[in-house]
Amino acid sequence: MSERTIAAIATPLGEGGISVIRISGDDAITVADKCFKSVSGKKLCELGGYQALFGSVVDRDNSPLDDAVALVFLAPKSYTGENIVEISVHGGLVSTRQILRRVLQCGAVMATGGEFTKRAFLNGKLDLAKAESVIGLITARNDAAVKITQSALSGKISRDIKDILDKLLETASSLSVFADYPDEDIPGLTQENFCKMLNDCRQKCEKLISTYDTGRIIREGISCAIVGKPNVGKSTLMNLLCGSDRSIVTDIAGTTRDVVENVVTVGDITLNLSDTAGLHDTNDVVEKFGVDKAKEKIENAELLLAVFDASGPLDQDDLALLESIKDKKCIVVLNKTDLEAKIDKSQLDGFEIIEISAKLGLGYAALSDKIYGICNLHKLSPNDTVLISERQLDCVRRALDGINEALDSMHLGITLDAVGVCIDDAIAALLELTGGRVTNEVCDEIFKRFCVGK
Ligand code: GDP
């Protein structure tokens, strides 16, 4: 257990029904008993775990600061694995801060970002993969992201990694027996068996790596730019997706002179959306600035919605746009389909096409399905394990490198000691993922992304 007893406001700062001040550490109950007076006169130190008292938090002179319920968790059966008291008070920015200040006066010190969860990790309450899923759950922006992080929080990543680790450890120990007794005929200890085990581990790592990108899109969303020449209906489409008049819609060409950005959720996917200025040749300095920015967006966006007016033939600007996006992940959106079609679709061969009328709101569901498909979201099955951080991906990639090198060495007939070293590298990378073997720096880096109070 840590020596310092820490405290922080665990709920978002602002007006609300309830705010919770969390205290954790050896002295959590002593600290809370100094500033909390129960109506019954009972002290918190007289309670068992998971028991609560109603009363008030009192100032130095015993004057009440707020009504409160104090809930006691006794080590090790708490979130951090330490003694914890959670004091629930009326939600309010100033009053909650006042109570935190009072708790600090009574002997606690202010917790740093993620310190409660870090203590939970250090006390063996959760591993690093689970700790990362806690952040994922807090920051999830859609139902699918919640599902992925809940699965990680339930231990799915950790179980899959343990499965690979167990196999690698078994292979490493069998290898050393095999190396020590080369002339003995020990059942199961054959080069063929080692390769089989390693190949199995390799496939499992590859599967984990393959779902990462889809998971990242679900969790973080995808940067998506709406592009097209002026007046094709880009801003109307932006407003349709946002469900509001975020972009200005007029029939004057060049109205959106800069980039308008918004975050929208379309089905299970979050789009970090930019409505760009219409792409065309212009001498207007301000417009030119917008057009340059639009070109930059085309370059950097992960997905393009390229809008064309289906009520007219494609012109040179349209064809130039098609040429510039042909190698990018994009959906060609044929807009204004409520009007008579004059577009020649044969010029769009090879593109993913969707027909809509942004003005009438027609085609939204089909567009949403198309985005889902182009981002490969349908490839993710509910039982897939999804890595939820770049760090986890890096660990599995390093493990895969180690396994591949071990297999190569085996095939090349290099000494079994060398093969063992490669397997050890893979084991170390996976232990780093779950936190079984991790440096303080990596640990600090992870927990500093948490908010204070978590
Ligand atoms: P942008 O310059 O590409 O952003 O185009 P806007 O969204 O500002 O739209 C230009 C004009 O086309 C406006 O008068 C819109 O009302 C009109 N418009 C946009 N979408 C449609 C559509 O689906 N059907 C029809 N008939 N008009 C549309």
Side-chain angles (χ1 to χ4, degrees), residues 231-236 249-251 335-336 338-339 357-359:
N231 243 5
V232 291
K234 297 182 297 302
S235 301
T236 312
V249 177
T250 72
D251 49 12
N335 189 31
K336 306 197 187 182
D338 53 298
L339 303 176
S357 167
K359 191 171 177 177

Side-chain angles (χ1 to χ4, degrees), residues 228-237 239 247-256 275-276 278 307 309 335-339 356-361:
K229 67 178 192 195
N231 243 5
V232 291
K234 297 182 297 302
S235 301
T236 312
L237 174 60
N239 291 339
S247 291
I248 309 158
V249 177
T250 72
D251 49 12
I252 307 161
T255 316
T256 306
D275 175 15
T276 61
V307 186
D309 180 350
N335 189 31
K336 306 197 187 182
T337 52
D338 53 298
L339 303 176
I356 67 160
S357 167
K359 191 171 177 177
L360 303 185

Side-chain angles (χ1 to χ4, degrees), residues 289-438:
F289 177 75
V291 171
D292 287 346
K293 275 207 157 180
K295 286 184 177 158
E296 199 182 303
K297 281 283 167 193
I298 292 186
E299 207 46 47
N300 299 327
E302 291 171 281
L303 173 67
L304 297 172
L305 300 181
V307 186
F308 299 88
D309 180 350
S311 70
L314 294 175
D315 65 13
Q316 284 314 311
D317 284 336
D318 291 321
L319 295 173
L321 173 61
L322 283 170
E323 180 58 28
S324 68
I325 61 173
K326 68 176 193 299
D327 297 324
K328 303 219 60 162
K329 193 183 273 187
C330 72
I331 298 173
V332 165
V333 181
L334 299 186
N335 189 31
K336 306 197 187 182
T337 52
D338 53 298
L339 303 176
E340 192 193 336
K342 297 220 174 99
I343 197 163
D344 176 3
K345 286 195 210 159
S346 68
Q347 292 174 288
L348 301 167
D349 274 356
F351 286 97
E352 295 275 356
I353 300 175
I354 189 87
E355 299 188 18
I356 67 160
S357 167
K359 191 171 177 177
L360 303 185
L362 301 175
Y364 176 86
L367 177 60
S368 156
D369 280 353
K370 191 67 103 184
I371 294 172
Y372 200 84
I374 209 163
C375 293
N376 287 330
L377 262 68
H378 56 275
K379 286 199 180 148
L380 203 63
S381 94
N383 292 328
D384 280 341
T385 302
V386 183
L387 299 175
I388 56 167
S389 72
E390 200 71 38
R391 183 191 77 84
Q392 293 179 1
L393 177 69
D394 177 59
C395 291
V396 178
R397 277 198 178 132
R398 280 191 280 129
L400 181 61
D401 286 347
I403 294 166
N404 279 333
E405 274 178 48
L407 278 163
D408 287 348
S409 310
M410 196 96 83
H411 290 133
L412 291 171
I414 296 173
T415 63
L416 290 181
D417 282 351
V419 177
V421 170
C422 301
I423 297 178
D424 283 348
D425 287 348
I427 290 170
L430 295 182
L431 282 173
E432 191 178 314
L433 193 157
T434 56
R437 202 187 290 166
V438 72

Side-chain angles (χ1 to χ4, degrees), residues 196-211:
K196 212 164 140 245
M197 299 258 265
L198 288 174
N199 268 320
D200 190 34
C201 295
R202 184 179 68 177
Q203 275 169 15
K204 289 196 159 98
C205 288
E206 283 172 348
K207 174 83 182 138
L208 283 172
I209 291 169
S210 73
T211 56

